Amino acid sequence: MTRTRADCLRRLLRCHPAAPNAAVSQNEPSLSAAPLPAVPLSAEELAAREWPGLRASIIDIAATLDRLDAAGPADETARVRDQAEDLLRAVLTPGDGDRARRLLEQMSRPYDHQWRDAFAISADT
């Protein structure tokens, strides 16, 4: 199964503790409707619950990098591989619980105060 960028973002948003309680799409229930454990999970319980998904994601990443390697040298595959390696380094960098935020910022464009001009949108619309 190939994941799209939107699928990955949805998954990240669902798992991130700062995620809004709004629905990700009309077809998905709101995050506030998700059942919450009655008691917070212990570190061991959390690790046991998260490990299968984390392991699967790591395997997906490795498989994708293998496919890029097999595609042979090309500017686009090199660019994608370089970006992936930068993001993986950022994931592995210890932080204070803000890895998801740092990754999203690293993958996002910087804010442009003149964005309306760039897209020819008037302030009246």
Side-chain angles (χ1 to χ4, degrees):
M1 176 175 133
T2 303
R3 288 190 191 143
T4 65
R5 189 176 196 176
D7 293 334
C8 293
L9 183 57
R10 266 191 224 92
R11 185 172 178 196
L12 233 179
L13 288 173
R14 272 197 301 269
C15 297
H16 195 272
N21 286 332
V24 175
S25 76
Q26 292 178 348
N27 298 329
E28 294 185 27
S30 73
L31 295 173
S32 60
L36 296 174
V39 179
L41 298 175
S42 69
E44 292 81 14
E45 292 168 327
L46 182 63
R49 185 186 76 183
E50 297 298 325
W51 174 245
L54 178 60
R55 180 179 174 269
S57 295
I58 292 169
I59 292 169
D60 285 346
I61 292 167
T64 300
L65 292 173
D66 286 345
R67 286 191 297 275
L68 288 170
D69 290 345
D75 290 343
E76 185 62 13
T77 57
R79 184 189 65 77
V80 169
R81 185 176 180 76
D82 289 346
Q83 285 180 336
E85 288 176 0
D86 288 344
L87 293 170
L88 289 170
R89 272 191 288 282
V91 166
L92 296 174
T93 301
D96 54 354
D98 65 345
R99 284 183 178 98
R101 180 192 56 78
R102 286 187 285 132
L103 285 177
L104 289 171
E105 286 176 356
Q106 189 172 341
M107 291 186 287
S108 299
R109 293 180 182 176
Y111 183 73
D112 179 5
H113 293 281
Q114 303 300 319
W115 68 270
R116 288 184 185 274
D117 296 336
F119 292 99
I121 298 173
S122 72
D124 298 332
T125 54

